[in-house]
Amino acid sequence: MFAFIAKRKLKLLLSVFAMCIALASLLYTSNLVRHLQERERTSVTIWAAAIEQVALAATQNPYAADFRVIADKLDPNDPMTQQHRTALAWASRLPPGDHNDFIFNIIYEYPPDVPAAIVDEAGNPIAWQHLGIPEDGELTPEDSLEIMQRIARMDQNFDPIMMELTPALIQRVHYGESSIIRDLRIYPYLQLTFVALFIAFGYLGFSYARRSEQSNLWVGMAREAAHQLGTPISSLMGWVEVMRTNPEADHDTLKEVDADVQRLGLVANRFNDIGSVPKLEFQALAPVVDATANYIRRRFPRRGMALTVDVPEELQAPINAELFAWVVENLLKNAMDAIESEKGRIQINSGKEKGRVYIDVSDNGKGIDRGDWSTIFKPGYSTKTRGWGLGLSLAKRIVVDYHGGMLTLTHSVIGQGSTFRILLPQS
């Protein structure tokens, strides 16, 4: 039992460790996304400011007043200065050009790699990029609706940036996340999904290999035990016959010894059947259950214990009598070991449920903790200090693998007892 407690703790520790890894991955990605969002907003802000500066430069010239002052100082009647006045007039109409190339590069050569749309004061799209809509040509009503829907979605995450081109002309830049950020948001979930799938398939593979190894071990141990028991059982049968010929022999005692020797032979046959496909016969369950119950009654450790059986004679199912009796015997022994009071009660009930036959084995023993329900059928689990923990595991193997049924713990309360149910198909 301590091995299963340690195994449960190890699973819990590994689960917590996996959750920490997942949380660290998500936090790191979230922090990285936040920094990239800040850089993208800065990039869009610079892009909008560049557009604003070009627009302002195209509508005003900071040296226009100086040009007019110079022109006024030139003699309008002097033909020599007429050309200078024309040049000054042309220059006053030009925007400042010392940094226009740099601004144009920002706007056209290095735009931010994000979906964006520029709209006028009325909300009509003027320019857009990375929206999946052609950036040149006439907008169809469907395209306009799509752009407005994309703008509404982008505004849910980011506030638009205002551009004041002139005091009377204000436009807005709406933008969203780049494809890199979207991929980064999805990446940790994909990573965790693939890791989880890898762990799951690995666990299933190792579990299958372990179950196969355990199955082969079961078969090998069972057949070896049958082989080892065969010789002494045959010898004991011979000695019992020899003792019967003695006139002073206690025949009542010999009868009990012979019954136990026959029982040993039955156990050896059961072990020999493990690993082979047993022959199932459609037969009544009552004789098999009654015979097993009578065998257990004679071996009760205290007089106050009682075992009642309620299995109708007409209840039938396809079973192998020897192996099925072994299952019932294991469940009864398990119930008997669980009882700690002087007035122990074990009850066997049966019936039909959804086209299947069920047999319930109930006791008023110490019960099983809810956290152990999933481990009681695993080899090695036992609450007894000297138990091997093989009885319930073997019983479930016989019911599930050889009879196509189910063996479950349907009810258990600490201090009140437990109920095990065998479910068998009727055909």
Side-chain angles (χ1 to χ4, degrees):
M1 183 175 179
F2 294 105
F4 285 96
I5 295 176
K7 185 177 180 180
R8 191 180 300 125
K9 290 182 177 179
L10 179 60
K11 286 183 178 179
L12 179 61
L13 181 63
L14 290 175
S15 299
V16 172
F17 183 67
M19 291 178 63
C20 290
I21 293 177
L23 183 61
S25 178
L26 291 175
L27 288 176
Y28 177 78
T29 305
S30 177
N31 185 58
L32 185 61
V33 166
R34 182 174 56 82
H35 284 298
L36 286 176
Q37 283 180 337
E38 292 175 356
R39 295 186 63 178
E40 286 187 350
R41 180 169 180 82
T42 301
S43 178
V44 174
T45 302
I46 294 173
W47 184 58
I51 296 175
E52 188 177 31
Q53 287 298 317
V54 169
L56 290 174
T59 57
Q60 65 181 5
N61 190 322
Y63 304 108
D66 297 330
F67 289 148
R68 285 194 295 271
V69 171
I70 296 173
D72 291 340
K73 292 182 178 181
L74 294 176
D75 185 1
N77 299 319
D78 187 354
M80 297 295 297
T81 60
Q82 187 63 38
Q83 187 176 359
H84 297 158
R85 291 175 63 85
T86 302
L88 288 172
W90 177 80
S92 64
R93 293 192 300 270
L94 289 179
D98 53 345
H99 58 283
N100 277 358
D101 291 341
F102 174 72
I103 295 177
F104 280 123
N105 284 336
I106 293 176
I107 297 173
Y108 298 108
E109 300 296 332
Y110 304 103
D113 189 20
V114 298
I118 301 175
V119 300
D120 58 19
E121 289 181 318
N124 300 314
I126 301 172
W128 56 90
Q129 66 173 17
H130 304 308
L131 296 182
I133 298 173
E135 300 175 13
D136 299 325
E138 292 291 332
L139 272 179
T140 64
E142 293 78 12
D143 291 339
S144 297
L145 179 60
E146 175 66 20
I147 292 176
M148 298 309 297
Q149 291 175 347
R150 292 289 299 273
I151 287 174
R153 290 197 294 268
M154 289 188 293
D155 287 348
Q156 292 177 358
N157 299 317
F158 304 100
D159 295 329
I161 298 174
M162 308 300 294
M163 295 191 305
E164 187 176 353
L165 306 183
T166 67
L169 181 59
I170 296 177
Q171 297 177 353
R172 297 188 305 274
V173 178
H174 303 267
Y175 69 100
E177 290 181 340
S178 65
S179 58
I180 295 177
I181 291 182
R182 291 196 298 271
D183 292 342
L184 278 175
R185 288 187 185 278
I186 299 173
Y187 174 73
Y189 298 101
L190 292 176
Q191 181 186 34
L192 295 176
T193 300
F194 285 122
V195 170
L197 289 174
F198 177 78
I199 293 175
F201 282 116
Y203 177 78
L204 291 175
F206 281 117
S207 296
Y208 177 78
R210 185 189 60 192
R211 286 195 298 269
S212 298
E213 184 178 355
Q214 288 177 350
S215 178
N216 293 333
L217 183 62
W218 272 107
V219 173
M221 290 180 61
R223 292 192 170 181
E224 179 63 22
H227 176 72
Q228 294 294 332
L229 287 171
T231 301
I233 290 173
S234 299
S235 178
L236 285 173
M237 288 180 177
W239 283 112
V240 170
E241 293 300 323
V242 170
M243 292 172 67
R244 279 200 180 100
T245 60
N246 188 341
E248 299 180 358
D250 185 349
H251 291 280
D252 291 335
T253 301
L254 285 175
K255 182 179 179 181
E256 292 298 323
V257 172
D258 184 60
D260 282 335
V261 171
Q262 296 296 329
R263 188 73 183 179
L264 281 174
L266 178 62
V267 171
N269 289 333
R270 289 173 177 174
F271 278 115
N272 195 49
D273 287 339
I274 296 296
S276 60
V277 180
K279 182 180 180 181
L280 303 182
E281 295 182 1
F282 196 79
Q283 57 186 294
L285 300 178
V288 179
V289 177
D290 287 335
T292 307
N294 291 332
Y295 174 78
I296 294 296
R297 284 192 188 99
R298 295 196 300 268
R299 285 156 179 80
F300 277 162
R302 55 184 74 89
R303 293 184 179 274
M305 296 185 67
L307 170 58
T308 59
V309 179
D310 181 14
V311 179
E313 293 292 336
E314 65 274 10
L315 192 65
Q316 296 183 337
I319 61 170
N320 179 281
E322 288 188 359
L323 292 180
F324 186 74
W326 200 0
V327 172
V328 177
E329 180 182 328
N330 278 329
L331 292 179
L332 292 177
K333 287 181 178 179
N334 187 72
M336 188 169 59
D337 292 337
I339 295 174
E340 298 176 336
S341 64
E342 292 295 329
K343 296 182 178 180
R345 295 290 181 269
I346 302 175
Q347 187 171 2
I348 300 178
N349 296 317
S350 61
K352 295 182 179 179
E353 178 187 79
K354 298 179 180 180
R356 294 185 294 182
V357 174
Y358 72 84
I359 295 179
D360 288 345
V361 179
S362 305
D363 63 71
N364 63 343
K366 58 186 177 181
I368 300 173
D369 186 80
R370 179 65 183 177
D372 294 330
W373 283 27
S374 61
T375 57
I376 57 174
F377 293 105
K378 294 181 179 180
Y381 178 86
S382 176
T383 58
K384 295 178 289 186
T385 56
R386 303 183 67 178
W388 286 86
L390 299 178
L392 288 177
S393 176
L394 181 60
K396 185 166 185 176
R397 176 185 174 88
I398 293 173
V399 173
V400 175
D401 294 348
Y402 297 152
H403 290 82
M406 295 177 62
L407 176 58
T408 58
L409 175 62
T410 59
H411 175 76
S412 187
V413 179
I414 297 296
Q416 298 183 18
S418 305
T419 300
F420 287 87
R421 170 165 289 190
I422 304 172
L423 279 174
L424 297 174
Q426 281 195 289
S427 59

